[in-house]
Every structure is written in structure tokens, then in C-alpha cells.
Amino acid sequence: MALTDEGQSPELSCRAMQARELGRAFGLAVAERTVRNRFPGHMVSTLDAEAILLAGFARSGPRPSLGARPRPDFFIEAWRPGEPSRVFVVTVNGNHQKATKRTAKADRSAFKQLARGSERAEHFHLAEWSTTPCLLMSTELLALDGITVNALQAPGEGLLPARPASGRGSADAVLSERNLAYAGAVKVPADGHSERIQNGFFIPRKELSWYGQLLARTGAAGQLAFAGAGTEIAQYLADKQGHKHHKQQTFAGSSSVRDARHKIGPTSYVGTDQVFRLNRIRVEAFPGIGGQELPGLVLDIDATLITCHTEKEAAAPTYKGGYGFHPLVCFLANTGESMSGRLRPGNAGANTATDHIAVLDDALAQIPDAHRHGTDILVRTDSAGSAKSFLTHVRELRARGIRTFFSVGYAVTEPVRRAIRALPDQVWHPALDQDGTLRESAEVAELTGMSDLAGYPAGHPHHRPP
């Protein structure tokens, strides 16, 4: 294989992105194939090292992290049910250095990347120092012989105990977190001298079963991510790995998979149809979530003022006499998810129709096709969203197959007040809260035909509370 003419000219292409993404991808593919060839008949799981290490070594704080501590890029596990598994530490890098007559071999970027990879891999150990096998990869995208992956291997066993099929310690058992030491955790033996202590991500022998369970559950969460099943992912992750984040309801990415709805027996499932190859076998899969479907979606659009105490880009005086920003955001009321937003200066208008249209269109684009088309979608705003051009846009979306409705605030002008006072008592109805219960001291009535709505979309009722 080789790069195209465009790729051969780094100054004309995304050089850094190619080196990072393509280089890592080729290196990881070679590492996976190496493990598969060495352990035929085994399943091979590739896992992000940071996601794994967070469960045992995350620094405390509002957002768990590993900081800048050196660490490998991936772990690869070769396993079979009921048998001990093998773990490999993997580092991957890529570079665009072009070999020329002036480029000495000792100056090649690949050598330096392998050396740095060795340093990062040296910071992870299972049970004892220097017994975990490592695969260090550096991909040369512009090598004379085409794309070349340089590899170094460090021997070792990397054995983990066999995981039970059920019960405590199995992949289905709830994972507990650990607070393992990093500073001074690794003991390095020295011939004829006292042992040396160094920092590192060290998994003690008594925690090897826990570490194997961690690999299995994190791998399951990664597989479920293809379905966009946030709540299903969360059950396999510890808090430090993002359990709280994934508990929110999410949707599958409409650009990468095809949304689908299937009914199996009396239960309806919403998910994604996927087609992929597993050991050269074509597999069609439907990961989905069963349950009662929502009768409709509700999008809430609202602006908010954010105070800024220093001069920052786009900060400006606000209509309430403050200073800062005035972003416009949209949330899906059914789940509480943030759908879209537009950053705006503090002096941006509250009722700017173009901003409301842009935020609404961005929010609709986030909804999978299976829900965006064929599902009633109610758009709610306060009176800032009552601009005629915005409401006309909401109504015109129906021509694209999107069944939109709107419920917006409306300025109480003197003609509106007169119309409200003229309403007879028998047309007022008790108001309900969102949960269907009666709202205290509140009633609603319809004013359609009693106030001037010229220029607004026809066919929409006009309601006012008392």
C-alpha cells in the first residue's frame, strides 16, 4: 500500500491528522493481527488504555482523569471462555518523515517514536515488574517501500486468571472501583543491590481477577456504543469511567448506522441495523432497546445570560444591564439532552428569528431518521420565539416530512387584554401541569378569532392563561 499523490505532499494535506490517525490505525491493525496469529482460536479484544486505567488510578476531582502520567495507548486481550487470558501492552505512533539520501538511519522518527513508546509501556506492569508482553508500533507513511509499520516486542506472559461464567468475578457482576497507588508502586529488582522504586500503573497480583473483569466489562460497553444505547453502556462502567454520563438516554449516530424499528412478539425495539464481518463471516446485527415508544418529541428553545467579569472575545453588554454572553440553546424535554446551541454575544437579540431557525435545524439533525420522520415534534419557546418568520419556518418543515407543531409565548398587548376580559366563564378550562395533575389557581382558554394574528401561520390555536 502507499499514499496518494496528495498524501505524498504533506504541505498540501492534513499532515498531523494523517500521522496521528492513519499511523495509529495501521500500527494497531498490525498489533491485533500479531496477537491473533499467535493465539489462533482465541477471541481478541482491543481496549483503550485510558478508559481501563481510570477505574483504578483516576485522580480525584469533579472530572476523573489520569493527568499527564505516561501510559500505553491500548491493551489487547486474547481469551477463550473458561481459560486464562493473555494481555499485551500496546503503543502506536505514526510519522511523515520522508527517507532521503540526507536522512541518516539514526535520525529516523520511527526510532524515536519506538523509544518513547517503550518509555510509556514501561509504566504499566501486571503482578510484578517487566513480565507483561508489549507491542510497540511506529508507522512510516512515506517510507520508500510504501507504508511501513516498524514493530518492537517485549516478551512476557501477561496471564490473567480465568473468569467465571457467572457469579462473583464474572463479566456480569457489578464492577467495584479501586484506588491503586501510582507513586512508588513499582519495585524494580537490582542484581547485588537493593531494589529500586519507580512510579507506574501497577496491578497487584491479588487484583488480577478484578483487572480481567474490568477488561471484559469495558469491552462490552465499547461494543454497545455502536447502538447508541447510553443506559445499556452505563451498566458496564464504573463511575470513574463515565457511568454517570452514559446513564443519559442517547441516540445512535445517523451518519454511521441505519436506524431501525423491529417488533419481536409484543415488544417493540428501536435501535440500529448493522452489517459487518467477524472472522470473514458476514454478520447482520440489530442492537436495540425495548420498551414503550414516546408518543412525541418536545424541543425546548431558550436563551440564557452568562455573566462575564473580564473582557473576553464576543462579550458585550446585555439587555438586563450586565456584561457577558447570550447563547441560545435547545433541549429535548423527553430526556433532558442538550441538542444544539449557538454562542452569541451579550447584546444579541432575544427574538432573532434567524438564530432560532439555525438552532432548531441543528437540533432536528441530531434526531435519528426513525424519530425525526413520522413522529410528532412540538417546538416550545417563550415569547422570544414568537417571530412570524420563525413560526412560518416551523410550519414549513412539514413539507420535508417532519411533523412539527409549536407552542410559544405571546406578548399581552392591550387588544389581547380586552379579548381576555371579554371571554365568558364557561370557555375557561382547568390548566394541567406536565405530569397531568391540576395546576393550582390556573385556567386556560382559546382566543382564536378574537385577536389579530395577521402574518402568523394559519390553523394554529391561540391560548392564553388568565
Side-chain angles (χ1 to χ4, degrees), residues 8 22 24 28 97 132 189 220 261 286 334 413 456:
Q8 292 281 350
L22 283 178
R24 288 166 63 92
L28 187 58
Q97 183 172 357
T132 309
R261 181 188 288 111
F286 171 73
N334 306 73
T413 60
Y456 284 96

Side-chain angles (χ1 to χ4, degrees), residues 107 167 172 174 206 223 244 260 283 302 322 389:
D107 190 44
D172 292 325
V174 176
K206 66 178 181 179
Q223 293 294 320
K244 181 179 180 181
V283 178
D302 197 8
S389 56

Side-chain angles (χ1 to χ4, degrees), residues 286-453:
F286 171 73
I289 307 174
Q292 182 179 3
E293 295 185 31
L294 297 173
L297 302 178
V298 179
L299 295 176
D300 286 333
I301 300 177
D302 197 8
T304 182
L305 293 176
I306 299 178
T307 300
C308 179
H309 298 286
T310 59
E311 291 190 9
K312 288 185 170 60
E313 183 179 358
T318 69
Y319 71 94
K320 286 192 175 182
Y323 185 83
F325 306 97
H326 194 191
L328 185 67
V329 293
C330 177
F331 289 87
L332 181 63
N334 306 73
T335 62
E337 292 174 272
S338 175
M339 301 297 290
S340 63
R342 172 155 292 202
L343 301 177
R344 307 190 303 170
N347 57 0
N351 59 347
T352 305
T354 54
D355 290 347
H356 280 75
I357 291 173
V359 170
L360 173 60
D361 287 349
D362 288 345
L364 292 172
Q366 299 295 321
I367 303 174
D369 287 341
H371 296 274
R372 185 168 59 247
H373 299 282
T375 302
D376 290 347
I377 300 177
L378 174 64
V379 180
R380 299 190 303 193
T381 76
D382 55 17
S383 58
S386 62
K388 297 175 182 178
S389 56
F390 171 63
L391 298 183
T392 300
H393 176 76
V394 174
R395 180 60 59 82
E396 289 177 346
L397 287 169
R398 297 183 182 183
R400 293 158 46 186
I402 304 175
R403 291 161 48 179
T404 47
F405 304 83
F406 59 80
S407 175
V408 301
Y410 188 77
V412 182
T413 60
E414 186 56 35
V416 172
R417 288 192 181 92
R418 288 197 297 269
I420 292 175
R421 297 190 189 103
L423 288 173
D425 292 342
Q426 60 266 28
V427 302
W428 290 96
H429 301 279
L432 302 178
D433 281 327
Q434 288 185 338
D435 60 1
T437 59
L438 288 175
R439 185 174 180 180
E440 185 177 356
S441 302
E443 293 181 322
V444 294
E446 184 172 338
L447 287 177
T448 304
M450 299 184 65
S451 58
D452 183 13
L453 296 178

Side-chain angles (χ1 to χ4, degrees), residues 68-389:
R69 292 178 285 186
R71 52 188 178 271
D73 297 306
F74 297 96
F75 297 118
I76 296 181
E77 182 186 24
W79 58 280
R80 275 196 297 213
E83 297 182 8
S85 64
R86 305 265 185 170
V87 175
F88 290 80
V89 175
V90 180
T91 66
V92 287
N93 291 98
N95 67 80
H96 264 96
Q97 183 172 357
K98 199 166 186 176
T100 66
K101 292 181 179 180
R102 297 179 57 189
T103 305
K105 289 185 177 180
D107 190 44
R108 286 170 59 184
S109 296
F111 295 161
K112 297 179 181 179
Q113 289 181 342
L114 291 172
R116 288 195 295 266
S118 175
E119 178 185 1
R120 290 187 287 122
E122 180 66 19
H123 280 74
F124 178 84
H125 300 274
L126 285 176
E128 56 185 287
W129 176 76
S130 196
T131 62
T132 309
C134 302
L135 293 171
L136 316 178
M137 305 290 174
S138 175
T139 303
E140 293 181 275
L141 296 173
L142 299 180
L144 293 176
D145 297 326
I147 297 175
T148 302
V149 178
N150 302 276
L152 283 180
Q153 173 189 332
E157 289 191 339
L159 276 174
L160 294 179
R163 287 188 288 270
S166 60
R168 185 178 180 181
S170 69
D172 292 325
V174 176
L175 181 70
S176 57
E177 293 182 348
R178 297 290 191 273
N179 290 307
L180 302 177
Y182 174 83
V186 182
K187 297 180 180 179
V188 182
D191 296 336
H193 303 279
S194 59
E195 64 182 12
R196 179 166 50 90
I197 303 298
Q198 71 178 35
N199 299 337
F201 298 98
F202 180 72
I203 308 296
R205 191 175 301 277
K206 66 178 181 179
E207 300 290 3
L208 291 182
S209 295
W210 169 82
Y211 180 74
Q213 182 192 15
L214 172 63
L215 292 178
R217 292 180 66 84
T218 306
Q223 293 294 320
L224 285 168
F226 286 105
T231 54
E232 301 301 318
I233 295 172
Q235 65 177 321
Y236 291 106
L237 297 177
D239 286 341
K240 294 178 182 178
Q241 293 178 292
H243 171 85
K244 181 179 180 181
H245 168 75
H246 289 288
K247 282 180 67 176
Q248 303 178 43
Q249 182 70 33
T250 59
F251 292 107
S254 57
S255 62
S256 59
V257 292
R258 186 168 66 88
D259 302 295
R261 181 188 288 111
H262 295 290
K263 190 170 185 179
I264 304 175
T267 305
S268 294
Y269 294 86
V270 176
T272 56
D273 276 338
Q274 301 176 41
V275 179
F276 55 93
R277 291 194 176 274
L278 185 63
N279 292 334
R280 299 186 178 88
I281 301 174
R282 187 177 188 272
V283 178
E284 296 185 17
F286 171 73
I289 307 174
Q292 182 179 3
E293 295 185 31
L294 297 173
L297 302 178
V298 179
L299 295 176
D300 286 333
I301 300 177
D302 197 8
T304 182
L305 293 176
I306 299 178
T307 300
C308 179
H309 298 286
T310 59
E311 291 190 9
K312 288 185 170 60
E313 183 179 358
T318 69
Y319 71 94
K320 286 192 175 182
Y323 185 83
F325 306 97
H326 194 191
L328 185 67
V329 293
C330 177
F331 289 87
L332 181 63
N334 306 73
T335 62
E337 292 174 272
S338 175
M339 301 297 290
S340 63
R342 172 155 292 202
L343 301 177
R344 307 190 303 170
N347 57 0
N351 59 347
T352 305
T354 54
D355 290 347
H356 280 75
I357 291 173
V359 170
L360 173 60
D361 287 349
D362 288 345
L364 292 172
Q366 299 295 321
I367 303 174
D369 287 341
H371 296 274
R372 185 168 59 247
H373 299 282
T375 302
D376 290 347
I377 300 177
L378 174 64
V379 180
R380 299 190 303 193
T381 76
D382 55 17
S383 58
S386 62
K388 297 175 182 178
S389 56

